[in-house]
Amino acid sequence: MTTQGQEPADPIQARGTDESEWQDWAGWNALPEFTLPTMGRAVVVAAHPDDEVLGFGGSISLLAAAGMDLTVVSVTDGERSHPHSRVETPESLARIRSKETRAALAELGAAEAEIIRLHVPDTEVADHENQVATALTEVLTGATLCAAPWTGDIHADHEAAGRAALTASGAAGVSYLHYPVWMWHWARPDDPRVPWTKAARIVLPHTALERKAAAISRFTSQVSPLGPEPGDAAILPPEEIAHHLRAAEVVFR
């Protein structure tokens, strides 16, 4: 709890950066363009179902359109997104988010993507980081690319999933990308906490951006309230979704 007039200590719970600030940022054109592979298999790691679409969904659409084989690894089932809800239980949320993931991938043109669920408890990825790294090393064998949450995203599950994927990519000899999710909320343009020198942008054609918007809308449990109580509030209100509907996605190399 915070006192009136104070921002929460957790940057994710604090008032975020308005998308208009990002749109006005002069630094976009300084980011080099990154070219995605067009052959082989890509593994996209998500700490929670929807991370992969928010941070990398347009790129997933491009990879699918190029004919790449795709594997999506959901480290957790996202079952604790609404811990105070009296409408849905963690068990029912896990089932809902599983169905939402499949529907979202279909919107991206990746209906045939393999989905692997590691069932690590939501909010506890750091406690299982070695286990996740071991599982991902096996999944990554023979892959061309791994994309996973950024290790500086200031969300413990995202950071742990990113570290595990980085370890696994090194062990498997696979090229690796980080994608940010919550960074756009707590950071500001030219923020010194962000490794801009390692950043690149993946330009999204209009079709890919449309597909991404449709995919995000499939996560109804996250973009719409579950019910009327405060514990049922949307996790991703429109002002948050706006960060992920740009004509380019940013990755760290």
Side-chain angles (χ1 to χ4, degrees), residues 1 22 46 81 92 132 147 207 227:
M1 180 179 292
W22 287 112
S81 66
S92 65
V132 174
T207 300

Side-chain angles (χ1 to χ4, degrees), residues 110-125:
E112 302 304 316
E114 177 187 26
I115 299 176
I116 297 174
R117 303 188 183 282
L118 300 185
H119 303 299
V120 172
D122 193 359
T123 74
E124 298 179 22
V125 179

Side-chain angles (χ1 to χ4, degrees), residues 75-236:
V75 177
T76 79
D77 293 326
E79 71 276 9
R80 294 179 182 169
S81 66
H82 293 77
H84 304 296
S85 175
R86 291 188 288 181
V87 175
E88 300 290 352
T89 65
E91 293 76 18
S92 65
L93 275 169
R95 292 191 296 270
I96 289 169
R97 298 190 74 176
S98 174
K99 293 178 181 177
E100 290 172 343
T101 299
R102 178 57 74 187
L105 290 173
E107 294 285 7
L108 294 174
E112 302 304 316
E114 177 187 26
I115 299 176
I116 297 174
R117 303 188 183 282
L118 300 185
H119 303 299
V120 172
D122 193 359
T123 74
E124 298 179 22
V125 179
D127 295 334
H128 301 267
E129 192 171 319
N130 291 338
Q131 169 194 338
V132 174
T134 298
L136 290 177
T137 300
E138 182 176 347
V139 173
L140 283 167
T141 300
T144 304
L145 176 71
C146 175
W150 177 39
T151 54
D153 213 31
I154 309 189
H155 185 299
D157 278 358
H158 290 199
E159 294 184 351
R163 290 191 302 266
L166 183 58
T167 297
S169 294
V174 175
S175 297
Y176 179 86
L177 297 174
H178 305 271
Y179 61 83
V181 177
W182 282 107
M183 184 194 85
W184 305 112
H185 175 85
W186 55 258
R188 291 186 175 277
D190 294 320
D191 198 311
R193 295 170 292 179
V194 178
W196 297 114
T197 58
K198 296 182 179 180
R201 58 195 171 102
I202 299 169
V203 177
L204 303 180
H206 183 68
T207 300
L209 187 56
E210 283 190 329
R211 283 184 174 275
K212 182 176 182 179
I216 291 174
S217 72
R218 287 291 188 168
F219 289 101
T220 307
S221 69
Q222 306 301 296
V223 304
S224 300
L226 298 177
E229 301 298 325
D232 298 317
I235 302 300
L236 297 169

